[in-house]
Amino acid sequence: MVPFKPYFLGQETPPWPRATSVQKCIRTPDIEDVGKTTRHGTFFEMCGNFSFGDYFKERAIELAWDLVTKPVADGGWGLEESRLYPSVYSEDEEALELWVKVTGLPRERVLRLGRKENYWSMGVPGPGGPCSEILYDRGPAYGPDFDPSALGPDMPVELEDRLLEVWNLVFMQEDLSAVRSKSDFDIAGPLPHKNIDTGMGLERIALLLQGVENMYEIDTMRPVIDRAEALTGRRYGAGGDQGPADDVRFRVVSDHVRSSMMLIGDGVTPGNEGRGYVLRRLLRRAVRSMRLLGTEDVVLPELMPVSRDLMGQTYSELLTDWDRIARVAYAEEEAFRKTLQAGTAIFDQAAAQVKSGGGTQLAGSQAFALHDTYGFPIDLTLEMAAESGLSVDESGFRSLMGEQRERAKADARAKKGQHADTGIYRAVLDEHGPTDWVAYETLSTESRPLALFSAGAPVSRLGEGEVGELVLDRTPFYAESGGQEADAGTIELPTGRLEVLDVQRPVRGLVTHQVRVVDGELDLGATGPLHAQVDEEWRTGARQAHSGTHVVHAALREVLGPSALQSGSYNRPGYLRLDFGWNAALDPEQLSRIEEVSNRALRADLPVGWQYMTLPEAKEWGAIALFGETYDAGQVRVVEIGGPWSRELCGGTHVEHSSQIGTLVVTGESSVGSGSRRIEAYTGVEGFAYLARERDLVTQLTTLLKTRPDDLVGRVGDLVERVRVAEKEIESARTAQLLASAGTFAEQAEDLDGVAWVGRSVEGAGGGDVRTLALDVRGRVPADRPVVVALVGVKDDKPAVVVALNDAAQARGLAAGDLVRTACGVLGGKGGGKADVAQGGGPALSGTTQPDEALAAVRALVADSARAR
């Protein structure tokens, strides 16, 4: 219902008094319960009725009860009235009386539940209201007997599977404020109109009508379980010691395969944030569940087509876009198989260390390292830890993740001047109405100031050098959206001048300008008319870049095929980047072809135009709507370049002919996550400047190397090969010199009560060299004499520690693993290994931590052990 929020709040007039919807929904807060209950799924189809001030409680109850109980032959579902239990909010006497009136049920059949169960809110300030559920009693096999009149305000957990919620009627009538949780909030007052928002999960109705045990066995999901059985050799519902666990895994597979496919079909690609992470988590849980069921083969190419054939009967885009969907899913499985191989080894080592130390919890820092360095999602770490009998310090992990995210977002928050409370903007909107936004028509306006904010609060003036947010009645400035940066420019005052730093839309309909006072002061009360002026050069560059993005997108689809869909973009004057779903790096020929197709479109001087239409009309016309973007429910703007060659929904500013882009120079292509690539390019003057710099670089190199431009690559290649050979010879000489010192080290061994001790710091030696040298030194000491060799190599300021013992030293109770951990601990690092040889390292050396201190600590342990004999 979120898109309808402005209608419920009375901020916008709905285009219709009623609406009916079927929505594809993904919900993952309950992901750990998937497969364990009869009703929890990550993907479901939500069927809803909405009334915007038209009908209310009584009519909503009538419509719901009629559909639920009417015979199937008459278009209903034919559920037995004797099994149905309406529920109401405990304080909503009106709803209780209406249920009795409409259905004829006795009052004791209507359950009275508390705010947690039967009051609906979004969890944030906005519309809400009491709700009323229709519950279906599945019988004693699904829970204990109960007395409906004796139930308290909370639904008992043991009844949640027996009393299955099939429909929720939300009586949207109140405006909520100070929302502390979904069940703890203040009521600011009534909404302008009383509304209805109902929701019914199609899967829950299907399981009842099809007579199956749970949602995973309905006709659009059970065939995936059947295929998983064939691949693993395990049987669903077979019982036995592993039966319950196996059944949960089969259900997880069925649910997650379908959910992943639907997400990819809507344009989501796997990633580490937001919806991309949700998809990645679902895919990886499905793959790992199949591994736990006994197969280590690739499984998605076997399972996902089964789900495609089932869901494609309703959602035909799954069939027409299958090549892209399959490519994204299968590439993610392949990447996860590699992650599993590397990450599992690291996890096993960490778990073994915890257990050997008598611990029962994996540290948050270890879980974070698995996530950040090895790509191990936290939920997978949690599952594997539980299987190993360990817990995970989740709060420590979340804290480290939060710190990382905050560092990444700090700059963005500072620039946008974001405030959690949008009430200050809504107050301006309510008082003055929407901003007259004329960025498409002009670059300058005479405007009137309406409001001024600083640090999220209203102010009356800004002095020279101060920054604030200014709201005008009319503006020519483009507000950042659709990947395009906001316009730059100035606002001239009778008493000074403002520099426009940023332009945003904090709430729909209102444009705010982040400004700095360059000259004079801005006094809201004394300021007369203002002159707002967009920087013309800035706008020209921005138009070139945004139109260039559409050109590159069309060229990309022409070269790679229609499945190469844009997933994100960013434009600033003269520069563009475009992210798109693809599983492999583009080769130089593909990149060159994309650039050629783009520039041919520029040379063809293709007309650029735009027009408004409804979203269904735009899709019928072939316009591309990007997933994740929000489009107006009424009219959308379609921008086309060269007619059908490029048609996209877009609110950005554009050139009038493709030739006005000037030039388009592709500068690079890179990965931005599994299944997602990025192209970067320059346009206009910036494109010519980039080519000029490349030309100057070639000129300098040809002059320096005394060769012709055509011979430059060969000449540089020869030099690189000569340098490689020379470096290899130098490295061989250095290694030989290093190993030659082994005899000297052995001869100079110190005697520690019968143990030969060799402790040295070796400059310029990495881990491999130090290990080879330590073993060589150990081999030069007679086998019957106990010897401990501890070497710390330092290369690029980072230490590498190796400890080697012979059998005689081990017989004295010494162990290389214990000694290397001591040395690494002094250096602030970690290490481990076997009793005869162990290795480790530490962070870059500081002025306070040196190899000699680490060696001294190891020597002290060896000496103490020798004296103890």
Side-chain angles (χ1 to χ4, degrees):
M1 55 71 61
V2 175
F4 296 151
K5 182 178 175 181
Y7 305 153
F8 292 137
L9 291 171
Q11 296 167 348
E12 295 183 21
T13 301
W16 342 268
R18 305 181 181 187
T20 302
S21 67
V22 178
Q23 302 175 45
K24 295 179 286 185
C25 299
I26 293 286
R27 174 181 167 81
T28 55
D30 305 320
I31 192 170
E32 301 299 335
D33 293 323
V34 170
K36 299 176 183 177
T37 72
T38 63
R39 65 193 187 281
H40 283 102
T42 55
F43 172 84
F44 57 97
E45 295 177 80
M46 177 61 74
C47 307
N49 284 348
F50 301 88
S51 166
F52 308 115
D54 187 12
Y55 62 85
F56 196 49
K57 287 184 184 179
E58 182 170 3
R59 185 57 177 153
I61 292 171
E62 290 173 350
L63 291 170
W65 191 253
D66 181 60
L67 180 59
V68 169
T69 60
K70 189 164 54 178
V72 174
D74 296 331
W77 294 332
L79 299 182
E80 310 96 303
E81 290 188 15
S82 61
R83 286 179 173 265
L84 296 175
Y85 289 82
S87 71
V88 298
Y89 179 41
S90 56
E91 299 178 16
D92 192 354
E93 293 294 333
E94 179 190 13
L96 190 150
E97 297 299 332
L98 286 172
W99 274 109
V100 173
K101 173 186 173 183
V102 171
T103 67
L105 294 173
R107 292 173 59 89
E108 58 268 20
R109 281 282 299 280
V110 182
L111 281 60
R112 301 168 69 102
L113 300 176
R115 177 178 280 195
K116 180 181 176 182
E117 298 285 344
N118 272 12
Y119 194 102
W120 192 93
S121 78
M122 297 173 61
V124 296
C131 59
S132 190
E133 296 177 345
I134 301 177
L135 308 171
Y136 182 88
D137 181 9
R138 302 187 71 193
Y142 298 92
D145 290 334
F146 63 95
D147 178 357
S149 62
L151 291 180
D154 296 325
M155 174 67 70
V157 174
E158 60 270 20
L159 286 178
E160 288 183 350
D161 275 342
R162 176 166 180 170
L163 290 177
L164 185 69
E165 175 200 336
V166 296
W167 202 328
N168 188 13
L169 314 179
V170 180
F171 308 129
M172 199 80 72
Q173 62 191 48
E174 290 165 334
D175 189 3
L176 309 184
S177 64
V179 178
R180 294 168 288 276
S181 72
K182 280 209 167 188
S183 58
D184 183 14
F185 47 79
D186 297 334
I187 297 176
L191 293 172
H193 304 286
K194 292 182 177 181
N195 312 284
I196 290 294
D197 167 14
T198 75
M200 181 277 293
L202 185 63
E203 285 76 7
R204 293 193 182 185
I205 291 295
L207 80 87
L208 294 178
L209 297 183
Q210 293 175 20
V212 295
E213 290 292 311
N214 53 64
M215 65 169 287
Y216 315 101
E217 297 176 13
I218 63 175
D219 55 358
T220 55
M221 297 182 71
R222 177 58 194 253
V224 177
I225 293 179
D226 297 339
R227 184 59 186 149
E229 286 182 310
L231 293 173
T232 62
R234 305 271 184 96
R235 308 308 301 171
Y236 177 67
D241 293 341
Q242 293 298 316
D246 278 359
D247 286 353
V248 169
R249 290 164 186 152
F250 276 119
R251 295 169 191 153
V252 166
V253 169
S254 177
D255 175 86
H256 288 9
V257 165
R258 183 174 74 147
S259 301
S260 302
M261 178 184 67
M262 300 305 292
L263 276 172
I264 300 171
D266 269 354
V268 182
T269 55
N272 292 325
E273 293 289 341
R275 60 180 182 262
Y277 179 70
V278 170
L279 171 58
R280 173 161 287 168
R281 187 181 184 192
L282 292 170
L283 284 168
R284 293 185 171 191
R285 279 173 59 91
V287 171
R288 187 161 186 273
S289 293
M290 288 295 287
R291 290 173 73 90
L292 293 174
L293 284 168
T295 179
E296 296 191 2
D297 295 333
V298 174
V299 295
L300 290 182
E302 297 287 341
L303 298 171
M304 200 166 277
V306 177
S307 191
R308 171 204 62 196
D309 293 343
L310 297 166
M311 299 301 295
Q313 297 175 40
T314 303
Y315 300 101
S316 59
E317 64 269 20
L318 297 174
L319 306 177
T320 57
D321 200 18
W322 178 248
D323 287 346
R324 181 188 63 83
I325 296 170
R327 186 169 57 250
V328 171
Y330 302 165
E332 180 64 17
E333 178 176 14
E334 187 58 36
F336 182 51
R337 285 165 63 85
K338 295 176 182 176
T339 295
L340 266 180
Q341 186 175 2
T344 300
I346 302 300
F347 172 85
D348 290 343
Q349 182 181 3
Q353 288 179 353
V354 172
K355 289 182 176 180
S356 66
T360 60
Q361 186 178 68
L362 201 67
S365 59
Q366 291 173 304
F368 180 75
L370 280 166
H371 167 84
D372 200 45
T373 306
Y374 301 100
F376 240 46
I378 182 60
D379 58 286
L380 181 55
T381 301
L382 290 169
E383 289 179 8
M384 293 178 67
E387 291 163 4
S388 301
L390 299 174
S391 62
V392 178
D393 178 13
E394 287 189 71
S395 62
F397 170 83
R398 305 289 177 196
S399 176
L400 290 169
M401 284 294 294
E403 290 175 12
Q404 185 186 64
R405 288 196 181 102
E406 281 306 311
R407 286 193 297 270
K409 293 178 180 178
D411 290 343
R413 284 202 304 268
K415 177 190 173 187
K416 303 304 175 195
Q418 292 173 343
H419 309 295
D421 184 9
T422 60
I424 59 172
Y425 304 115
R426 294 199 178 279
V428 177
L429 191 64
D430 291 342
E431 181 179 354
H432 299 286
T435 304
D436 183 10
W437 186 69
V438 290
Y440 294 149
E441 291 85 38
T442 183
L443 297 180
S444 64
T445 60
E446 297 303 315
S447 305
R448 183 169 56 89
L450 302 179
L452 183 64
F453 305 109
S454 178
V459 295
S460 60
R461 67 175 298 278
L462 291 176
E464 189 168 318
E466 291 184 319
V467 175
E469 286 181 279
L470 177 64
V471 181
L472 303 176
D473 67 331
R474 191 166 186 253
T475 181
F477 285 92
Y478 181 83
E480 180 184 3
S481 65
Q484 181 176 329
E485 268 199 5
D487 280 336
T490 59
I491 299 176
E492 299 290 340
L493 318 172
T495 56
R497 184 165 61 93
L498 310 177
E499 177 188 5
V500 177
L501 305 176
D502 191 24
V503 189
Q504 295 291 323
R505 295 179 184 270
V507 294
R508 183 183 293 187
L510 194 73
V511 176
T512 64
H513 310 74
Q514 188 182 64
V515 297
R516 178 190 291 116
V517 181
V518 179
D519 296 312
E521 68 173 11
L522 171 58
D523 188 329
L524 196 62
T527 299
L530 313 178
H531 180 75
Q533 177 66 55
V534 175
D535 184 319
E536 189 171 351
E537 284 293 316
W538 180 281
R539 174 68 73 83
T540 297
R543 294 168 66 207
Q544 290 173 324
H546 205 147
S547 295
T549 303
H550 286 226
V551 167
V552 171
H553 190 200
L556 194 70
R557 290 164 58 78
E558 183 174 320
V559 173
L560 300 181
S563 62
L565 277 175
Q566 176 181 332
S567 57
S569 67
Y570 169 72
N571 313 287
R572 67 169 186 262
Y575 169 84
L576 68 89
R577 72 171 185 238
L578 183 147
D579 297 343
F580 61 100
W582 202 253
N583 299 315
L586 304 189
D587 59 45
E589 183 178 346
Q590 288 173 316
L591 216 53
S592 177
R593 177 69 178 141
I594 290 167
E595 186 177 62
E596 179 187 353
V597 171
S598 297
N599 280 292
R600 286 186 179 276
L602 270 57
R603 189 174 70 176
D605 195 29
L606 301 175
V608 180
W610 46 86
Q611 55 182 295
Y612 292 88
M613 59 188 71
T614 65
L615 185 57
E617 288 171 341
K619 291 183 176 180
E620 181 69 23
W621 205 39
I624 297 173
L626 302 182
F627 180 83
E629 291 293 325
T630 301
Y631 300 108
D632 192 275
Q635 296 284 298
V636 295
R637 183 172 181 254
V638 179
V639 175
E640 65 172 8
I641 301 176
W645 187 69
S646 171
R647 282 180 179 152
E648 297 188 29
L649 273 64
C650 180
T653 61
H654 289 274
V655 298
E656 296 173 352
H657 291 270
S658 61
S659 61
Q660 293 173 345
I661 297 172
T663 188
L664 197 148
V665 182
V666 175
T667 60
E669 185 266 354
S670 60
S671 170
V672 287
S674 178
S676 185
R677 309 293 300 181
R678 170 174 292 170
I679 281 183
E680 297 179 86
Y682 286 118
T683 58
V685 173
E686 286 77 6
F688 287 115
Y690 177 86
L691 293 175
R693 290 193 299 271
E694 295 284 293
R695 179 196 60 198
D696 291 344
L697 179 62
V698 170
T699 299
Q700 293 176 43
L701 288 173
T702 54
T703 301
L704 184 65
L705 299 176
K706 297 181 175 59
T707 187
R708 295 170 54 83
D710 292 346
D711 300 328
L712 186 58
V713 173
R715 183 82 170 93
V716 171
D718 291 341
L719 288 174
V720 170
E721 178 61 22
R722 288 166 62 183
V723 170
R724 189 188 66 80
V725 171
E727 287 178 341
K728 188 174 181 180
E729 292 174 351
I730 293 170
E731 181 66 18
S732 297
R734 191 192 62 78
T735 302
Q737 184 180 21
L738 181 66
L739 295 178
S741 61
T744 303
F745 289 175
E747 291 173 2
Q748 297 176 353
E750 179 185 359
D751 185 85
L752 297 177
D753 290 322
V755 177
W757 160 254
V758 178
R760 294 294 185 100
S761 174
V762 187
E763 282 293 330
D769 291 339
V770 175
R771 186 183 182 91
T772 301
L773 181 58
L775 296 176
D776 193 359
V777 173
R778 184 185 68 177
R780 292 173 184 266
V781 177
D784 58 348
R785 183 184 181 190
V787 61
V788 175
V789 181
L791 303 181
V792 179
V794 181
K795 189 173 185 179
D796 298 329
D797 213 31
K798 294 199 69 175
V801 184
V802 175
V803 176
L805 282 65
N806 63 5
D807 292 341
Q810 294 174 60
R812 288 202 171 201
L814 294 167
D818 296 336
L819 298 177
V820 86
R821 277 190 285 273
T822 298
C824 291
V826 173
L827 295 170
K830 296 180 180 180
K834 299 180 180 179
D836 60 337
V837 182
Q839 189 168 343
L845 295 175
S846 65
T848 57
T849 304
Q850 296 299 325
D852 290 346
E853 297 176 28
L855 293 171
V858 176
R859 182 188 181 282
L861 283 178
V862 174
D864 289 346
S865 176
R867 282 195 296 270
R869 290 181 59 85

